[in-house]
Amino acid sequence: MAELTTVARPYAKAAFAHAQEKGQLANWSTQLNLAAALAGDAEFAAYLTRPSMTVEQQTGAFFTAAGDQLSADCRNFVAFVAQNKRLAALPAIAEIFEQMKADAERTAEVQVTSAFELTEAQQAALAGQLTARLGRKVTVNALVDSSLIGGAIIRTGDLVIDASVRGKLAKLSATLNS
């Protein structure tokens, strides 16, 4: 995975710079996610990576599958990626692009896993507190995991806040056993 990220980063940076220059971050985000979904499909990837397929045939098949949903610029980008035999890196390229887009727009997507379903008011209050703490506009995705017993686990990027009863019990157990 680390190697794929290393390969994908320059492509993502180039796509991001182009999209930002043209003021089309949202459009490119949508198109790259489509390309990533196509490249990430196991059956389609197996079809594209057959030894008998030329780069032109690969790009032709890719563009046929994408239909008219890719702009000319995005088609050129995908063709360039295919020419360098990096179609498998498209999911990683899209992921890095999304991270760069979120950084530029000062947004963060936060996953909140709680023991019980959060109300809209609770989600809004949590989003407000996290916006203040992170200095970004926060979007909350709420999940329910009854095994937490109580509390919640909050994840965004590399930050994890475990305020669950299960997490606190695990910490207490580790402290008592050491």
Side-chain angles (χ1 to χ4, degrees):
M1 180 66 175
E3 182 180 324
L4 195 56
T5 301
T6 303
V7 166
R9 188 170 289 112
Y11 292 103
K13 284 182 178 180
F16 180 80
H18 179 77
Q20 193 172 37
E21 177 184 311
K22 300 274 186 175
Q24 298 176 342
L25 286 177
N27 190 24
W28 269 78
S29 175
T30 302
Q31 293 179 75
L32 282 177
N33 283 323
L34 170 68
L38 287 173
D41 181 68
E43 289 181 31
F44 190 59
Y47 172 75
L48 290 177
T49 56
R50 292 179 304 152
S52 63
M53 287 196 85
T54 65
V55 171
E56 291 77 21
Q57 290 171 327
Q58 287 177 335
T59 54
F62 199 92
F63 295 151
T64 299
D68 62 351
Q69 297 180 35
L70 298 179
S71 67
D73 285 347
C74 195
R75 283 178 176 263
N76 288 338
F77 177 76
V78 170
F80 181 72
V81 170
Q83 189 69 36
N84 291 309
K85 301 188 184 333
R86 302 290 192 210
L87 282 176
L90 278 171
I93 292 169
E95 183 179 329
I96 294 169
F97 182 92
E98 289 301 320
Q99 291 169 353
M100 295 172 77
K101 179 178 174 267
D103 285 344
E105 294 175 341
R106 305 287 300 154
T107 61
E109 197 166 301
V110 177
Q111 179 183 2
V112 178
T113 307
S114 61
F116 303 98
E117 190 168 339
L118 297 175
T119 65
E120 291 295 323
Q122 290 170 325
Q123 288 183 32
L126 185 58
Q129 291 173 345
L130 290 171
T131 295
R133 179 172 178 173
L134 299 174
R136 296 171 175 263
K137 182 178 183 294
V138 171
T139 304
V140 175
N141 295 327
L143 301 171
V144 176
D145 180 0
S146 59
S147 71
L148 295 179
I149 304 170
I153 299 174
I154 301 168
R155 289 184 175 90
T156 181
D158 294 341
L159 176 67
V160 177
I161 301 170
D162 188 350
S164 68
V165 173
R166 181 180 69 190
K168 290 179 181 182
L169 288 173
K171 288 178 191 173
L172 178 62
S173 176
T175 303
L176 292 173
N177 290 332
S178 60

